[in-house]
Structure formats: structure tokens, C-alpha cells
Amino acid sequence: MRDVVVATNIGVSTAATAGAAAASAVLAAKTTTTTATGGLWFKVLAGAVGVVVTGAAVTAVIALSGGGAGQTAVLTVTPMDEGIRDFEFVGAEFRSVDGRTTELITEQEVMEGNTGTATDIPYFVRGEPQYVDIDSDNDLDAAILISVVAGGSTPQLYVWLWEDGKAVQAKYPAAVTEDCGDHVEAFRPVVGALEVDLTTGARCEPDARLQSQTYRVTVVDGYPVRTTPGFGSVDTCDPAIRPVVGDWEGEPPLVAPATDAPGVAEAADIQRVELLSRQPHYAPDWQLARVTLTDGAQSCGWVRPG
């Protein structure tokens, strides 16, 4: 296999079979790349490929070179499960970041006067969902903006994962926003992630200077995490917005204010952790931190000083 490099993007829908059939001719070239609609792609060095459709799956038969005549390898890719496209967000149970649960309603219902009660404040969907396999398990997942009927109704971005035939809400927002803080401007699917355009800044302050940033987010162990520009929390750690209040010498930060959240980095890879002036009402024992790695890269994380 040393002469063959096979890379697959498992984002193959059932519709990909038609595109794969069109690519079923044998390819023979020093370096060849072929693409089937729905996202299946593979690259072969110094080899030959035949692609055939077998039921609902796509099979690539690879003729190896340099390893002896007649050697082949077979790669079968199962189409992506797109069952989440049938999931109805309106009427679904929603769990806010502070642990409250309610049923999602439409924006039209809010406009018609459904503002809930003092103990049951509605959340409603904003716009249409975007679909992408964000946790790389060959199941299509969904992301959508959710607003609360309170304050400025600033929407936050949430992800639902498709697991065992059910839509399961991720444990934390994919973009954390506030009326006087960050706002989501747009989001879109990319390969294996969501790309989010965010406007940051203390917008309620006099002469506030707002900045634009774009980052990518995936889901690890049920928690959304930024993967660019650095691996860490989806929160913003700009010291111009949230001042540094001290250093942290304890356990390495996590990607969310929860004990089962993944770590931002190993202790050996961390050069400095600075505590910022943010302790959210829904997790008062936790504090946001800016993490600087030994290679100079920076990201966000959460620590528990108490």
C-alpha cells in the first residue's frame, strides 16, 4: 500500500451513487483525483482506480503498483445518514445554557404575542438550519439560530447531532452571544465544520469599537469547539473586551464550563493561562481564561477557581 494514498471525505449522500456511477471508468495516472457528487473523493498515486456502486454504498477498487501484479484493495464507503433533515425544530425540546428546558416556537408566534410567563420564557427559531457532519461520524447534523423572548433577543447558534436515529442537542452553544457583546452575522457549512462570522465588542459601551472575526467550529464529545484560529472554547477571549484579572496555575482549561468537557491542551503545551473578567450566571464557579501555548498560539478555555 506504500504507493497508494486514499483519502475519503465520508460526506456521501444517497444521491452520490448517481455521481459515482459516472466516475466508474478506470483511472490510470501518476496522480489522479476524482470526485462524486455528495462529497466522495479519493486520490491515488501511481495506481489505478475503478469505482462501482453496490446497493447504497460506493466501492472503490484500487489496483496497487509497486507491490506485485494482481494486488488490489477494496474501499467501501457507506452513504451519509441524512435523517436529521426530517427533524422539526419547532415544537422540539430546547435546553438553554443555564439548564432551563422549553419547547421551541416560531418567530411568527412571538410577533403575535406569545411572550410566555415569568417562569416559562419562550425560545424561538431564527431562519433556516444549515446541515453538515460536524462531529465526523457519517451522520448529517444541523445548526440553527435560537433566540429567547427577552432583552434584545440576540440569537445564539446551537447544534443538533444525529445520533442513533434521533436529533440530540449539543451541550453548549456553537457561538456565544449577548445583547451588549458578540453577535453572529452569518454561519455556513464547510467540510466537517461550521464557519461562523462574528462581530465582537462591548457594543453597549460609549464609543464601542466592534471587530469582525471568522472561526470554524466542530463538536468533540458533545461540545462545540473552535478549531481555527486555535483549538479551544467558542467564547471570545479578547482582553480589550474582558480584561485580564490574574494568572492561573491550576488544572489546564477546558473548552466549556463543565467537568466532562474536553481539555484545551496538555499542560506541557501550555505556556500561560490568564484569567479574564467573565464568570457567567449559569456557571458562577467557572471563569473564562486566555490560553497561550508554547508555540505562541492563543485560544480560550474555562477554569474552576472555586
Side-chain angles (χ1 to χ4, degrees):
M1 293 291 288
R2 65 183 183 273
D3 296 323
V4 178
V5 177
V6 178
T8 59
N9 170 8
I10 308 299
V12 182
S13 67
T14 303
T17 55
S24 60
V26 174
L27 307 175
K30 185 67 177 176
T31 301
T32 304
T33 301
T34 184
T35 303
T37 58
L40 172 67
W41 62 275
F42 42 85
K43 188 173 184 179
V44 178
L45 304 180
V49 175
V51 180
V52 297
V53 176
T54 58
V58 179
T59 300
V61 181
I62 305 163
L64 305 180
S65 66
Q71 295 188 9
T72 61
V74 178
L75 172 67
T76 300
V77 180
T78 303
M80 181 175 293
D81 185 344
E82 299 189 4
I84 199 167
R85 291 188 183 274
D86 296 325
F87 175 66
E88 294 290 344
F89 288 92
V90 175
E93 183 179 86
F94 171 74
R95 185 189 66 258
S96 66
V97 71
D98 58 5
R100 292 185 295 122
T101 58
T102 186
E103 286 188 1
L104 292 173
I105 64 176
T106 67
E107 190 170 2
Q108 182 63 33
E109 289 179 87
V110 177
M111 295 174 63
E112 292 173 353
N114 185 354
T115 57
T117 66
T119 57
D120 185 15
I121 302 174
Y123 285 77
F124 62 97
V125 297
R126 299 281 291 266
E128 297 297 324
Q130 299 288 332
Y131 298 98
V132 64
D133 181 9
I134 198 170
D135 57 354
S136 302
D137 63 352
N138 202 32
D139 294 339
L140 203 62
D141 308 304
I144 194 168
L145 293 173
I146 305 293
S147 285
V148 60
V149 185
S153 294
T154 301
Q156 296 197 9
L157 183 61
Y158 277 86
V159 172
W160 270 259
L161 306 174
W162 191 247
E163 297 181 352
D164 300 324
K166 295 180 180 180
V168 178
Q169 183 187 340
K171 299 177 181 179
Y172 199 71
V176 179
T177 61
E178 298 172 332
D179 292 347
C180 290
D182 299 347
H183 282 199
V184 175
E185 303 298 337
F187 69 100
R188 56 200 158 269
V190 293
V191 176
L194 284 171
E195 192 168 69
V196 181
D197 296 331
L198 202 70
T199 300
T200 67
R203 61 183 63 243
C204 294
E205 297 292 330
D207 303 321
R209 291 185 298 175
L210 303 182
Q211 297 181 336
S212 298
Q213 62 173 267
T214 297
Y215 67 89
R216 291 190 176 185
V217 58
T218 61
V219 173
V220 178
D221 295 338
Y223 287 95
V225 296
R226 287 198 193 198
T227 58
T228 58
F231 185 91
S233 165
V234 297
D235 300 84
T236 298
C237 279
D238 185 348
I241 302 172
R242 301 185 175 98
V244 175
V245 296
D247 286 341
W248 172 253
E249 302 292 344
E251 293 294 319
L254 308 179
V255 300
T259 55
D260 63 346
V264 171
E266 297 292 336
D269 298 323
I270 296 176
Q271 181 180 26
R272 186 180 184 185
V273 178
E274 300 166 285
L275 297 176
L276 303 183
S277 60
R278 173 168 168 76
Q279 290 177 284
H281 69 280
Y282 56 84
D285 294 338
W286 292 81
Q287 194 158 347
L288 192 62
R290 184 170 65 162
V291 183
T292 302
L293 301 183
T294 53
D295 63 2
Q298 291 186 327
S299 63
C300 274
W302 289 89
V303 298
R304 196 173 187 177

